[in-house]
């Protein structure tokens, strides 16, 4: 699939870039599944989040009643290492996935950034917002329509996955792809000035202000933060980290992104071959 091809290009031989294919599923039996469950579903690998309008003492009692007796071996499978090999110099690779009958072409820039501190997460968010704004503004200018890109940053153990994607029609795809390639190839080489950083911080903060409006979304975010290895107060301190972010921190995140960046194209085969000729 398109997503699998893009993230395989980002991660290379790293376990995060692997996908389970149907033939592997066919070889797995009930015993294999049970052995994995017995090893993986243990307290040492779990994060429990309780979010909502509640009384702490009552919540602790409920948690104890349901999970207090949960036992398990301490030698469950560890998370894959977040260490990435990365690539050397040269253009960011482009992977193509054909979709018969597609009327538009989807373009996606994706990368993985080492995530060690809450500031790293804020820097990744601002970087994604900045690329998103650049691509959306250019696409609308070139196509004269309301085409827009969208950005997303997802935390994984030790990493932040960044992706910026959007769909355009064939008449402007080449120009939009040229800008996306330029953005990708120059990651880490173009520092943000104060005005650019301020705009990106504003856009990022505005999006974050409505991100956790439900207890469910907040609980999911807190669980991801803890699994990623970040402190429990990462979301609480996020506004401060975001406001104090420096251009150097964002440029450092961009440089890390450049090491694994890949561009994905999804559309009609003839359009893809015109945009990126094979061979």
């Amino acid at each position: 699939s398109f997503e699998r091809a893009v993230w395989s290009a980002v991660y290379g031989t790293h376990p995060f870039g692997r996908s389970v294919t149907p033939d592997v599923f066919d070889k797995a039996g009930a015993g294999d599944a049970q052995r994995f469950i017995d090893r993986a579903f243990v307290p040492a690998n779990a994060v429990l989040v309780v979010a909502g309008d509640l009384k702490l003492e009552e919540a602790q009692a409920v948690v104890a009643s349901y999970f207090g007796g949960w036992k398990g071996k301490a030698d469950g499978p560890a998370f894959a290492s977040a260490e990435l090999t990365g690539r050397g110099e040269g253009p960011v690779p482009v992977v193509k996935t054909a979709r018969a009958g597609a009327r538009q072409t989807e373009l996606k820039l994706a990368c993985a950034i080492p995530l060690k501190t809450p500031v790293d997460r804020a820097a990744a968010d601002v970087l994604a917002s900045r690329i998103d704004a650049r691509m959306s503004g250019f696409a609308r200018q070139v196509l004269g329509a309301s085409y827009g890109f969208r950005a997303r940053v997802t935390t994984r153990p030790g990493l932040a996955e960044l992706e910026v994607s959007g769909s355009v029609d064939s008449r402007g795809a080449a120009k939009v792809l040229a800008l996306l390639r330029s953005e990708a190839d120059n990651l880490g080489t173009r520092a943000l000035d104060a005005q650019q950083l301020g705009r990106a911080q504003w856009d990022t903060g505005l999006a974050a202000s409505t991100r956790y409006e439900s207890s469910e979304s907040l609980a999911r975010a807190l669980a991801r933060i803890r699994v990623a290895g970040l402190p429990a107060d990462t979301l609480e301190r996020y506004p401060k980290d975001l406001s104090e972010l420096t251009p150097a921190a964002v440029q450092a995140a961009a440089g890390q992104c450049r090491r694994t960046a890949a561009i994905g194209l999804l559309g009609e085969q003839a359009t893809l071959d015109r945009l990126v000729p094979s061979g």
Side-chain angles (χ1 to χ4, degrees), residues 87-105:
R87 289 182 290 269
E89 298 297 325
V92 167
V94 178
V95 295
K96 300 184 293 184
T97 302
R99 174 180 287 173
R103 296 183 178 182
Q104 296 180 329
T105 301

Side-chain angles (χ1 to χ4, degrees), residues 188-268:
T189 64
R190 298 169 176 169
L192 293 176
D193 60 32
Q195 184 176 2
Q196 291 171 335
L197 176 60
R199 174 59 188 270
Q201 286 171 307
W202 173 265
D203 290 342
T204 302
L206 188 63
S209 66
T210 58
R211 190 173 293 158
Y212 312 117
E213 292 186 319
S214 69
S215 296
E216 180 183 0
S217 60
L218 177 59
R220 187 183 303 112
L222 288 170
R224 283 187 173 276
I225 286 294
R226 296 301 288 140
V227 169
L230 295 178
D233 67 345
T234 295
L235 295 185
E236 183 179 352
R237 58 181 284 180
Y238 184 83
K240 183 175 185 293
D241 288 335
L242 181 62
S243 65
E244 296 179 353
L245 207 58
T246 64
V250 179
Q251 188 172 2
Q256 292 288 350
C257 178
R258 176 66 173 82
R259 297 181 65 244
T260 60
I263 292 174
L265 300 177
L266 174 66
E268 272 281 7

Side-chain angles (χ1 to χ4, degrees), residues 28-183:
D32 298 311
Q34 189 60 55
R35 282 189 290 272
F36 173 79
I37 291 173
D38 291 341
R39 293 178 59 233
F41 285 74
V42 296
N45 287 344
V47 172
L48 174 64
V49 176
V50 181
D53 185 8
L54 47 84
K55 295 181 179 180
L56 183 58
E57 295 79 8
E58 294 178 2
Q60 289 175 328
V62 172
V63 169
S65 68
Y66 280 99
F67 296 97
W70 187 19
K71 306 295 181 184
K73 297 179 181 179
D75 60 346
F79 288 120
S81 169
E83 295 299 322
L84 300 173
T85 302
R87 289 182 290 269
E89 298 297 325
V92 167
V94 178
V95 295
K96 300 184 293 184
T97 302
R99 174 180 287 173
R103 296 183 178 182
Q104 296 180 329
T105 301
E106 181 175 350
L107 302 89
K108 181 189 295 286
L109 169 62
C111 69
I113 302 172
L115 193 62
K116 297 180 180 179
T117 70
V119 174
D120 294 337
R121 172 58 203 261
D125 284 344
V126 168
L127 174 62
S129 178
R130 172 60 179 163
I131 298 173
D132 176 28
R134 283 270 294 163
M135 296 307 304
S136 293
F138 183 77
R140 292 189 181 106
Q141 178 183 12
V142 169
L143 301 176
S146 59
Y147 290 94
F149 276 64
R150 56 197 176 275
R152 182 171 67 178
V153 175
T154 305
T155 55
R156 299 196 68 172
L159 295 170
E161 291 182 343
L162 181 152
E163 55 184 309
V164 178
S165 59
S167 296
V168 299
D169 60 31
S170 59
R171 62 191 173 91
K175 292 181 179 180
V176 176
L177 175 59
L179 177 62
L180 188 61
R181 285 181 120 170
S182 175
E183 289 291 312

